[in-house]
Amino acid sequence: MTPSRPLGRLVLRLALRNRGRTLISVLGVGVTLLAFLVLRTLVTSWYTVNTDISKSDQLEMRHKISISFVLWRRMADKVRSIPGVQQVSAMLWFSGYYKDEKTRFGQLAVEEPYFEIFPEYLAPPEQMAAYFEDMSGALVGEELANKYGWKLGDRITLTGTIYQGDWPLNLRAIYRGESKSTDRARLFLHYKHVAPEGEHSHRLMVKADPTAAKKIDALFANTDTPTKTESVLSVERSWASWSSAVISAINIAAALILLILILVLGNAMAMAARESLREYATLRAIGYRSRHILALVLAEGFFVAGLGIVLALAVAPATLRAFAKLMEEQLGGTWQLYLDGGTVTLAVGTALLASLIACSVPAWRSSRLRVVEALREIA
Amino acid sequence: MTGAEDPFWTDLIAAGVGMLAAVALSLGLLVLLVSLPYVGVRALAVLWRREWIPLVYNLRSLGRRRLMTLTTALVLAVVVFVLTAVLMLALGIEHTLASTGNPRNVKLIDENALSEWTSWVDSEQLPALGTLPGLARDPAGNPLLSPEMVVLIWAPRQGAVDADDGANLSVRGVQPVAFEVHPTRGLRGARFQPGTNQIVIGKALVGRFAGAELGGSMSFADRDWRVVGVLDHGGTAHDSEIWGDVEVMAPTFRRGYSTVTLTLDERADVVAVSAALGQNPDLSRLLAKREVEYWRALSENYVGFVRLLGSVVTVIFSFGAILGALNTMYAQVAARTREIGTLRAIGFKPRAVLTSLLAESVLLALAAGSVGVLAASLLGRMTFQLTTVQTLSEITYGFHLSPVLALGCLGFAGLMGYAGGLLPAWRASRLPIVEAVRAN
């Protein structure tokens, strides 16, 4: 006997028998999985550690003794003379705000070579030319431009904190970013504009062979500004590691969600199986094997879980967008939360595994029922 | 969903989903709100006329379907655990930073500075500061006025394998008066000898950074510093700091004073200090902040983030839990149809059935919630380290549980039980007796 075809229809019938509970279970799976997706996306986008090969030649120089000490801009000339070094740019954190003290975003005052070191922040050539031409020009990421509705040529006035006063800037260029992991919410302005007579630089950004880092540090080792040079990648990694407590808390919460998913679905499937005892017994009586019953319960569980997964995936992008907006309104800053393939795969994979665990007990129990007793008990 | 794609469809879906979610949420809230007086009146009537179904009936019923009860309780407990733990984390950060300040202390900071390490105070300003009104004095009559230099240094972790394994720490160069201005809870070892390279470290650093132990030697700013004492500041941010003689440290770091901390006597307040600063043109660049406020402000953004994250996650979590409770209570009602019919037949009113089942659901949730809160309270002994954009240095925090927080989380558990039990209980109370007793 090969009851494979009617089995599919049976699953559907059984699942739709108690529609209220099936709906509740689907919602339960969907909602918990949605929470999982939100949390995992938050973790992956927290400090986007871009592991592209292209980044290994991006180095960051800072004062060795303290991260809050500044470097000299003139040090750039010495660094340029080191073999393996291609470009050097000074960089200041402008740290201003836009209109309201709460609206802050990354604002970097840089020199022209910066965009050869970080080609990911590149706008169309004619826009870049216009930006380089205009001393009070600004280059912003498309995310930021969309958020505040800025168009090319607009005047953006920032209020400085470190560099006091109002700073009217002309929007000359908008960059799109190479990949999703590029921060598309930055504003660049000219170093010369912020500090026309400036001698300081918070950091020096260098495009060089990674092995040049040691040579750079050796060059300044015995001066009054000893330096520490490392790749931008490892600076980002350090920041991520310093937040590891919160990140692991989020990860633990994500793991607990899976536990909730297992319990909610397992509970629902146990109830469904209990209610369907008479059907299972009848099926067994007309020749279905216990393995068919096992498959039947599992299939019903996966049917419910699958609907839940589809629901969660359909709603996730919108939820992430709303969540990002909420964060921006409450905390300021710019939040880029996008679902990526890895997160989706992980979520679907773990959800399916969780469903398997959740349904295995009721499925196994139902498959082992004693037909005669079950029929008698119910009658 | 990059900006390169047309955002129209995702916006449409987002709007649709948002509206659906909003409608569902407000419907749910409406049902809960409307039900409260409905249920309340009936519950009061039941209590008033002493016609309740004995609670032991509910307990036995829950006991009969042990597995189902346990899984539901576990779900509720996990949700409450996560909620409590996240809020404890946020409260811990806030508590650690806010309790760092002494309520009677005022911090003078450069008006352009965002934090201590970007602030500068000239040593020529110090004599004028000694004449500020309301300064507390030590028994010898010297004002409690502590000029301090704060810098961030890089410290490698204990047993670090590569050079990048470390964190930024705050170093505070102080004069001996700092020990009066920032009273400490205890000191192992001794205070640093002025004029030497001796340092005292906060207890949270011990054993976590290279050389950070009594008798050890830490190296920063191209020098070695001998650890002669370990300070206990009672779990505040100072416990993550290194203190040394400012006269030695200032030339080493080529830096002047950052801030000045004052202790005021009982009658004085920060307003008088601000006014006095404003009148003196040499001092008008300094801003007087209550020390507590300075530290609390450092926690604000991060705490806001953790709280917001915690609430959003908990709302989503609790949906799952409510659905679980709903399922369980529906199944309980379905399985007990005949019992409920019998109860009705022997004279129990519908309102008694409603109250009884709701009480069952709420009590189950409260019991599960207590387990969750208790489990979370065990975290109270744990500490964690964070470097935030506001502090830039690594600070050790503890989880903090307050009675209000514990009660709030328990209340939330009760609410989940109520929301999950409402519809099944209502349905059970309206079952026709004749059909109910015949059900199997």
Side-chain angles (χ1 to χ4, degrees):
Chain A
M1 180 162 185
T2 51
S4 62
R5 259 187 67 221
L7 210 55
R9 197 178 296 165
L10 265 176
V11 169
L12 203 61
R13 282 277 166 85
L14 282 170
L16 296 183
R17 207 175 73 142
N18 190 336
R19 265 169 229 173
R21 195 192 38 240
T22 303
L23 181 71
I24 290 175
S25 312
V26 168
L27 281 178
V29 172
V31 162
T32 42
L33 196 62
L34 183 65
F36 181 82
L37 282 168
V38 169
L39 289 179
R40 285 297 311 168
T41 304
L42 200 64
V43 168
T44 50
S45 65
W46 184 298
Y47 288 105
T48 323
V49 179
N50 192 341
T51 43
D52 291 353
I53 294 297
S54 68
K55 273 218 165 184
S56 66
D57 67 349
Q58 297 167 344
L59 306 180
E60 180 178 315
M61 280 173 72
R62 57 178 165 84
H63 200 292
K64 186 189 169 197
I65 289 177
S66 172
I67 54 166
S68 65
F69 287 6
V70 295
L71 301 175
W72 300 102
R73 186 162 159 259
R74 59 167 188 270
M75 290 163 70
D77 298 330
K78 275 184 142 182
V79 174
R80 257 182 225 112
S81 67
I82 296 174
V85 172
Q86 297 165 43
Q87 282 298 351
V88 187
S89 167
M91 187 203 93
L92 295 171
W93 281 299
F94 182 74
S95 304
Y97 54 87
Y98 176 63
K99 284 187 179 166
D100 175 25
E101 270 197 66
K102 265 194 158 179
T103 29
R104 291 173 186 254
F105 38 82
Q107 298 152 5
L108 303 178
V110 297
E111 299 175 301
E112 232 179 285
Y114 187 91
F115 301 98
E116 284 172 46
I117 308 169
F118 297 94
E120 60 262 43
Y121 299 118
L122 215 53
E126 67 280 4
Q127 292 184 15
M128 283 314 279
Y131 164 72
F132 290 137
E133 199 107 307
D134 184 356
M135 252 311 114
S136 45
L139 162 68
V140 307
E142 58 169 2
E143 192 102 9
L144 213 53
N146 286 341
K147 188 172 162 192
Y148 297 111
W150 292 335
K151 303 266 175 305
L152 287 179
D154 278 4
R155 177 151 282 220
I156 304 162
T157 302
L158 296 182
T159 308
T161 54
I162 302 176
Y163 305 95
Q164 301 268 306
D166 280 349
W167 295 79
L169 303 170
N170 305 316
L171 180 52
R172 292 299 177 203
I174 297 177
Y175 69 85
R176 299 184 79 162
E178 273 179 346
S179 68
K180 276 187 187 176
S181 54
T182 305
D183 185 351
R184 276 170 285 121
R186 285 188 172 183
L187 181 146
F188 294 98
L189 62 167
H190 292 289
Y191 177 97
K192 277 274 181 213
H193 183 54
V194 173
E197 311 283 312
E199 296 183 325
H200 287 125
S201 184
H202 288 143
R203 296 285 187 271
L204 286 173
M205 311 309 292
V206 182
K207 180 184 170 81
D209 196 72
T211 55
K214 284 220 166 72
K215 293 180 210 156
I216 296 174
D217 289 342
L219 191 62
F220 298 103
N222 293 314
T223 66
D224 58 1
T225 20
T227 60
K228 163 92 180 149
T229 307
E230 53 187 342
S231 70
V232 170
L233 194 64
S234 79
V235 173
E236 283 177 4
R237 284 214 177 106
S238 293
W239 274 102
S241 78
W242 293 331
S243 291
S244 60
V246 166
I247 291 190
S248 39
I250 296 177
N251 275 332
I252 291 172
L256 286 177
I257 287 187
L258 292 176
L259 180 68
I260 292 183
L261 195 152
I262 293 178
L263 291 174
V264 168
L265 184 63
N267 209 358
M269 286 316 296
M271 286 177 217
R274 196 199 311 265
E275 275 173 32
S276 310
L277 269 187
R278 192 203 312 234
E279 283 81 350
Y280 298 152
T282 314
L283 285 174
R284 286 293 306 281
I286 61 171
Y288 282 72
R289 297 287 178 77
S290 67
R291 62 168 192 272
H292 294 132
I293 305 297
L294 188 82
L296 203 60
V297 181
L298 279 181
E300 190 184 336
F302 277 111
F303 175 72
V304 169
L307 284 182
I309 292 172
V310 169
L311 179 74
L313 288 180
V315 179
T319 310
L320 283 170
R321 188 175 287 213
F323 184 63
K325 195 163 259 175
L326 184 70
M327 288 291 204
E328 280 168 13
E329 275 164 15
Q330 297 292 315
L331 305 172
T334 307
W335 296 76
Q336 297 181 341
L337 297 176
Y338 297 112
L339 214 52
D340 63 31
T343 309
V344 172
T345 317
L346 181 73
V348 172
T350 44
L352 289 177
L353 189 68
S355 314
L356 183 67
I357 296 170
C359 303
S360 56
V361 175
W364 184 73
R365 273 178 143 186
S366 311
S367 72
R368 300 228 335 176
L369 94 171
R370 289 162 178 255
V371 182
V372 183
E373 275 176 28
L375 281 174
R376 191 193 297 145
E377 203 172 280
I378 291 155
Chain B
M1 252 58 62
T2 63
E5 292 161 26
D6 181 7
F8 173 74
W9 288 109
T10 55
D11 278 347
L12 196 69
I13 296 176
V17 167
M19 264 164 62
L20 267 179
V23 167
L25 252 178
S26 35
L27 260 181
L29 281 179
L30 196 71
V31 168
L32 278 188
L33 275 180
V34 169
S35 72
L36 271 178
Y38 177 91
V39 172
V41 165
R42 277 156 184 79
L44 279 179
V46 167
L47 282 177
W48 182 251
R49 304 195 182 182
R50 303 174 154 268
E51 54 188 28
W52 60 77
I53 302 167
L55 210 55
V56 73
Y57 164 72
N58 303 101
L59 295 181
R60 291 244 172 101
S61 304
L62 285 174
R64 254 190 67 196
R65 294 184 170 71
R66 223 163 276 146
L67 194 66
M68 194 156 80
T69 306
L70 274 180
T71 44
T72 310
L74 198 54
V75 169
L76 290 163
V78 170
V79 171
V80 173
F81 170 81
V82 171
L83 174 68
T84 316
V86 170
L87 291 182
M88 277 172 75
L89 193 147
L91 194 64
I93 298 175
E94 197 173 50
H95 187 256
T96 301
L97 288 177
S99 68
T100 303
N102 180 338
R104 281 173 56 205
N105 280 1
V106 170
K107 196 180 278 293
L108 304 183
I109 188 165
D110 190 312
E111 62 179 358
N112 294 343
L114 302 173
S115 48
E116 284 189 289
W117 61 90
T118 52
S119 172
W120 287 78
V121 175
D122 289 336
S123 49
E124 290 93 68
Q125 292 176 317
L126 293 182
L129 291 175
T131 64
L132 284 173
L135 287 184
R137 286 170 193 278
D138 66 7
N142 300 314
L144 292 184
L145 179 147
S146 166
E148 297 165 8
M149 178 214 71
V150 180
V151 290
L152 301 169
I153 56 122
W154 174 261
R157 291 197 198 283
Q158 179 87 289
V161 271
D162 68 302
D164 292 339
D165 188 10
N168 291 294
L169 296 178
S170 278
V171 172
R172 195 177 288 272
V174 296
Q175 296 176 349
V177 69
F179 292 94
E180 320 295 325
V181 172
H182 308 285
T184 56
R185 197 170 282 184
L187 170 66
R188 221 151 40 83
R191 292 182 185 180
F192 57 81
Q193 286 292 323
T196 65
N197 64 342
Q198 296 180 348
I199 51 173
V200 291
I201 60 174
K203 68 170 196 290
L205 301 181
V206 175
R208 293 191 26 248
F209 291 93
E213 59 197 343
L214 205 55
S217 155
M218 298 182 77
S219 101
F220 52 85
D222 289 333
R223 282 182 74 161
D224 285 336
W225 305 80
R226 265 193 355 102
V227 181
V228 296
V230 174
L231 279 174
D232 179 0
H233 294 273
T236 70
H238 288 317
D239 274 330
S240 304
E241 289 181 349
I242 298 167
W243 287 15
D245 183 11
V246 66
E247 309 305 336
V248 178
M249 287 188 161
T252 309
F253 285 99
R254 296 187 192 86
R255 189 177 190 324
Y257 296 119
S258 309
T259 55
V260 175
T261 307
L262 320 165
T263 305
L264 301 182
D265 61 27
E266 269 97 32
R267 286 150 297 149
D269 70 343
V270 64
V271 181
V273 175
S274 291
L277 289 176
Q279 280 163 10
N280 187 337
D282 292 338
L283 303 179
S284 58
R285 228 165 40 86
L286 292 179
L287 211 61
K289 276 188 192 172
R290 293 182 55 220
E291 198 185 16
V292 179
E293 292 307 320
Y294 170 82
W295 287 102
R296 182 173 290 141
L298 290 186
S299 73
E300 250 163 28
N301 223 329
Y302 215 77
V303 167
F305 162 71
V306 175
R307 285 233 166 93
L308 194 62
L309 177 67
S311 348
V312 168
V313 168
T314 309
V315 166
I316 304 183
F317 263 45
S318 62
F319 259 12
I322 290 173
L323 292 171
L326 201 65
N327 241 345
T328 307
M329 289 312 289
Y330 262 129
Q332 289 276 10
V333 170
R336 275 143 68 178
T337 307
R338 202 186 327 201
E339 289 170 26
I340 292 166
T342 313
L343 285 170
R344 292 288 316 283
I346 60 175
F348 283 104
K349 297 258 170 57
R351 57 174 175 247
V353 172
L354 176 80
T355 313
S356 170
L357 284 171
L358 253 182
E360 179 179 321
S361 169
V362 171
L363 284 179
L364 176 66
L366 281 179
S370 317
V371 173
V373 171
L374 269 179
S377 74
L378 296 180
L379 293 173
R381 301 177 148 270
M382 276 176 56
T383 58
F384 56 96
Q385 283 81 36
L386 276 181
T387 301
T388 68
V389 183
Q390 280 76 31
T391 63
L392 277 190
S393 61
E394 187 176 282
I395 294 179
T396 297
Y397 302 93
F399 287 87
H400 190 76
L401 181 64
S402 71
V404 176
L405 200 155
L407 284 179
C409 292
L410 266 184
F412 183 76
L415 197 67
M416 285 196 296
Y418 180 81
L422 184 62
L423 290 179
W426 182 72
R427 199 170 84 166
S429 73
R430 318 244 321 171
L431 282 176
I433 302 179
V434 183
E435 282 173 34
V437 286
R438 258 200 242 133
N440 53 46

